[in-house]
Amino acid sequence: MASDHRVVIVGGGFGGLYAARRLGGAPVSLTLIDRRNFHLFQPLLYQVATGALSPGEIASPLRAVLHKQRNTEVIMSEVRDIDVANSRVILAGAEVAYDDLVIATGATHFYFGNDQWEPLAPGLKTIEDATAIRSRLLAAFEHAEREPDAAKRRAWLSFVIAGAGPTGVELAGALGEIANDTLRHDFRHINPAEAQIMLVEGEPRVLPTFPPDLSAKAEKQLLALGVRSRTGARVTDIQEGSVTLQCGGREERIATRTVLWAAGVRASELGRVLADRAGAPLDRAGRVIVAPDLTVPGHPEIHVIGDLASFTHQTGKPLPGVAPVAMQQGRYVANAIRNKLADKATPPFHYFNKGNLATIGRNKAVAEFGKLHVAGFAAWFLWVFVHLMYLVEFENRMLVFVQWVYDYFTRNRGARLITK
Amino acid sequence: MASDHRVVIVGGGFGGLYAARRLGGAPVSLTLIDRRNFHLFQPLLYQVATGALSPGEIASPLRAVLHKQRNTEVIMSEVRDIDVANSRVILAGAEVAYDDLVIATGATHFYFGNDQWEPLAPGLKTIEDATAIRSRLLAAFEHAEREPDAAKRRAWLSFVIAGAGPTGVELAGALGEIANDTLRHDFRHINPAEAQIMLVEGEPRVLPTFPPDLSAKAEKQLLALGVRSRTGARVTDIQEGSVTLQCGGREERIATRTVLWAAGVRASELGRVLADRAGAPLDRAGRVIVAPDLTVPGHPEIHVIGDLASFTHQTGKPLPGVAPVAMQQGRYVANAIRNKLADKATPPFHYFNKGNLATIGRNKAVAEFGKLHVAGFAAWFLWVFVHLMYLVEFENRMLVFVQWVYDYFTRNRGARLITK
């Protein structure tokens, strides 16, 4: 099945993996390069960070997912550079030639120029981030239990989450459940339900990309879990033991031992490489501003998809950095390459928005389908269903389902490990 | 339910946890101290190290296991010292007074004075050990796939396991399955089945604590998985890239990039503390030689159980460092303390040996019940059954069962993550 036409995909997230799967059986010789050996189901990463699922349950080995595709090779390595003139991807100690190149390396956290905040306020992008956050959250309650001083104890029981997009809302809601339900009977000197959980957002409402009525419902659902939202507030400083907010011209210092960062996102470094080597235009977040067919302008052989791409041709502003966009772009690029080989034309990319979902907790979520807005149990049930469907696509992830059903009835979180 | 009689248990392994559970509802005020926040089901740790299970699936939060016991408090901390004269356990920044003290802190690896081998040949005692070994094993195949030089590739595909007790045999068997089944279709440049797996044992046969006929059967079952046993051989040196064996007076150097250590065990440091502070006699492995009632001679208030205890009163040699011994000793100590409070006498400890099991792989295991020796599917099925029963005792671990059933039919290992 190997062929002369060499396709190289960099990145095994939703964009890269969906492109790779759609190219299985195509008359191409396909190489997928990722620095990790697994695909990560990022929408459920916050469940690892909050002890509900284990890392292995939301990660699928890339080789296993693709091993039936005879035309496909997986290389676990990091791309150092791209030699655009000679159509080669440069790895550590190796080079891979391409006829078509798909860059799908996504995005990472961004601290708006305050990189010194990173160790104090970890973000949630990798499995290691998730297990580190899990350890910090659980250790905070352990510290509080041992702390005789009331003020210090309050700081250990105070949690600040910066950014009220879907990830921030999920983290805050799950933390509310941990404090109110999961740990309820676990301590003798503290009452975990007294934890202060604050969700800070610069925009005037939580979930700013959702319609205002759903933002209001989400805020109410969060409050039911003990999460207070501070909207129109900006983090101006983070120190060991405190975070400083600016809110309506007023500064406020909050004593807290745990700050989580879900506020900013910056495109992967390969955006800059494409700018240097292929003259790719970048937007302010470092994303590659792609042509209507998702290629780099002037380079029809270089495709950029997912969170690294800024596609503005549909609505005038970039499509959101969410999994459905990446999946549809991955499939589009694979079809475009197949069409090119068959000498067929491909119409420009068009994102079909099936709707937006954000979950907050047990029976709590919001969903938007055009004019239809849903909140509460129905939205939550839909969220569970949709995420299980996608999970099951790669591997039989019935396990996650069993775990969820069990946890739903017991309010348990079994994976509460503090690890190093 | 709190009472004046203060019992402190150090260590939340099988011994400590079984003692703590048996003291739930007793007229004592109980404190369990562990440096980790979870009980680890150590007999399945090798399944985490070989990508079959996730850490969260074999760990139970100690607070969750004990939260219904109103007389019980859990402290996550490390014991620094014991003030025997004043009956206090010294923690970092805190002291805990006791009337009865139970030390159950187990054992760790031992490199026979060659501690410099530890980074080169990791042992398997903690969750972190298991995920580190998992990453090394999987990364070795990744390196081999990328390595153009045949000799270097062979070194990456060569695995040496030192020690053919149950842990070494389990690791070697699982590695054989990974090479022959799990990864079969995953690579394009190497054939994982060509991996060389060598199990090195100083005694003249594998599983030396089992009867010779079962050792022979285990060796045959290992061979079916591609594992070669080198018995009567001793590791004399480990370097980056090689291991040196001494076998019948002859030295042999083996080129390998992966060495795992399952050969030696040393008792926890608290043994030495008990020797210094309470005059406890230690054996060569650092274990406390306990009285027939599992106390430190001359200190009826200090109990030592599990892998840290050397109990020789039954057979003339120490009982093996296995979970059933620790569980029975934990229950015994709890009963002894209950009896003491009720002014009742307690007969000396007696270990009831229900039998010995060692698993090698799918449908492969050996089992000894006195004169009854079983090998193959029946022993394996029994092993699965027994381990699930014990797992389910603490928490509903049906998940592990579902995972096993799924993996049994698909020969899959879903948790194949290389993490940092």
Side-chain angles (χ1 to χ4, degrees), chain B residues 329-358:
Chain B
Q329 292 183 337
R331 280 199 217 102
Y332 172 88
V333 161
N335 287 336
I337 291 170
R338 280 173 173 268
N339 287 343
K340 181 155 71 174
L341 292 174
D343 265 329
K344 288 198 286 190
T346 306
F349 175 71
H350 181 88
Y351 174 54
F352 176 64
N353 185 355
K354 294 181 196 161
N356 287 310
L357 278 163

Side-chain angles (χ1 to χ4, degrees), chain A residues 36 40 42 45 109 123-131, chain B residues 420:
Chain A
R36 308 308 298 261
L40 180 62
Q42 214 145 11
L45 195 53
H109 341 285
L124 184 62
K125 277 286 178 193
T126 67
I127 281 285
E128 288 80 4
D129 290 340
T131 50
Chain B
K420 285 161 221 162

Side-chain angles (χ1 to χ4, degrees), chain A residues 6 18 27 31 33 35 42 55 57 62 85 109 135 143 153 202 206 262 277-278 286 320 325 328 335 343 373:
Chain A
R6 298 156 303 179
Y18 273 69
T31 304
I33 301 168
R35 53 186 170 185
Q42 214 145 11
E57 288 160 4
L62 284 168
H109 341 285
S135 296
H143 280 288
R153 197 164 56 234
V206 305
R277 305 297 188 217
V325 171
Q328 290 182 30
N335 288 335
D343 266 329
H373 300 173

Side-chain angles (χ1 to χ4, degrees), chain B residues 81-330:
Chain B
D81 202 351
I82 300 167
D83 180 351
V84 171
N86 297 301
S87 298
R88 301 177 93 81
V89 167
I90 317 295
L91 311 175
E95 294 187 8
V96 185
Y98 63 83
D99 297 303
D100 269 296
L101 177 63
V102 180
I103 305 286
T105 46
T108 183
H109 341 286
F110 186 44
Y111 291 86
F112 304 115
N114 297 287
D115 286 350
Q116 74 279 13
W117 293 352
E118 185 161 12
L120 301 168
L124 184 63
K125 277 285 177 195
T126 68
I127 282 284
E128 287 80 5
D129 291 340
T131 51
I133 287 177
R134 179 178 74 187
S135 295
R136 284 173 85 124
L137 295 180
L138 296 171
F141 288 97
E142 296 289 341
H143 281 286
E145 172 82 349
R146 287 199 298 270
E147 179 58 62
D149 180 84
K152 287 183 185 165
R153 198 163 56 233
R154 216 159 19 220
W156 279 118
L157 286 176
S158 167
F159 300 87
V160 174
I161 294 143
T167 300
V169 164
E170 283 160 2
L171 279 172
L175 193 45
E177 291 191 330
I178 288 174
N180 289 290
D181 285 335
T182 316
L183 300 181
R184 193 163 26 165
H185 303 294
D186 276 11
F187 294 91
R188 298 294 176 257
H189 304 285
I190 59 165
N191 176 2
E194 286 172 7
Q196 304 282 330
I197 305 163
M198 186 183 283
L199 183 60
V200 178
E201 169 61 48
E203 299 289 316
R205 55 195 174 86
V206 303
L207 295 174
T209 60
F210 280 71
D213 60 315
L214 289 182
S215 292
K217 283 186 177 145
E219 207 165 319
K220 230 171 121 183
Q221 293 177 354
L222 283 164
L223 204 56
L225 292 170
V227 177
R228 287 177 306 136
S229 310
R230 284 294 286 277
T231 52
R234 219 159 43 83
V235 172
T236 54
D237 195 24
I238 303 177
Q239 301 279 342
E240 182 89 44
S242 78
V243 57
T244 308
L245 305 182
Q246 183 132 36
C247 185
R250 221 165 42 83
E251 280 228 326
E252 186 185 352
R253 204 177 144 279
I254 295 159
T256 172
R257 305 294 306 223
T258 315
V259 185
L260 304 181
W261 191 259
V265 154
R266 170 173 48 190
S268 128
E269 286 297 313
L270 282 191
R272 177 128 307 281
V273 171
L274 285 174
D276 291 348
R277 305 297 187 216
L282 303 185
D283 72 3
R284 278 202 315 160
R287 287 176 295 194
V288 175
I289 300 169
V290 290
D293 63 355
L294 302 178
T295 60
V296 172
H299 285 278
E301 81 284 13
I302 306 181
H303 316 258
V304 182
I305 60 176
D307 289 5
L308 179 58
S310 174
F311 181 87
T312 54
H313 307 280
Q314 192 165 333
T315 62
K317 37 178 209 173
L319 293 176
V322 295
V325 171
M327 292 173 188
Q328 291 182 31
Q329 292 183 337

Side-chain angles (χ1 to χ4, degrees), chain A residues 209 283 287-288 290-292 294 304-329 349-353 356:
Chain A
T209 61
D283 72 2
R287 288 176 293 193
V288 175
V290 291
L294 302 178
V304 182
I305 60 175
D307 288 4
L308 179 57
S310 173
F311 182 87
T312 56
H313 306 281
Q314 192 166 332
T315 60
K317 36 178 211 176
L319 293 176
V322 295
V325 171
M327 292 173 187
Q328 290 182 30
Q329 292 185 335
F349 174 71
H350 181 88
Y351 174 54
F352 176 63
N353 185 354
N356 287 310

Side-chain angles (χ1 to χ4, degrees), chain A residues 36-37 57 63 67 72-73 76 128 142 146 186-189 395 399 403 416 418 420, chain B residues 36-37 57 63 67 72-73 76 128 142 146 186-189 399 403 412 416 418 420:
Chain A
R36 308 308 298 261
N37 75 324
E57 288 160 4
R63 296 189 183 282
H67 78 207
T72 304
E73 174 174 352
M76 185 185 152
E128 288 80 4
E142 296 289 341
R146 288 198 298 270
D186 276 12
F187 294 92
R188 299 293 176 261
H189 304 285
E395 259 195 287
L399 265 196
Q403 179 84 63
R416 302 208 298 279
I418 300 177
K420 286 163 222 159
Chain B
R36 308 308 297 260
N37 75 323
E57 288 160 3
R63 295 191 185 282
H67 78 207
T72 303
E73 173 176 352
M76 184 183 154
E128 287 80 5
E142 296 289 341
R146 287 199 298 270
D186 276 11
F187 294 91
R188 298 294 176 257
H189 304 285
L399 265 195
Q403 180 84 64
N412 185 44
R416 303 208 297 280
I418 301 178
K420 285 161 221 162

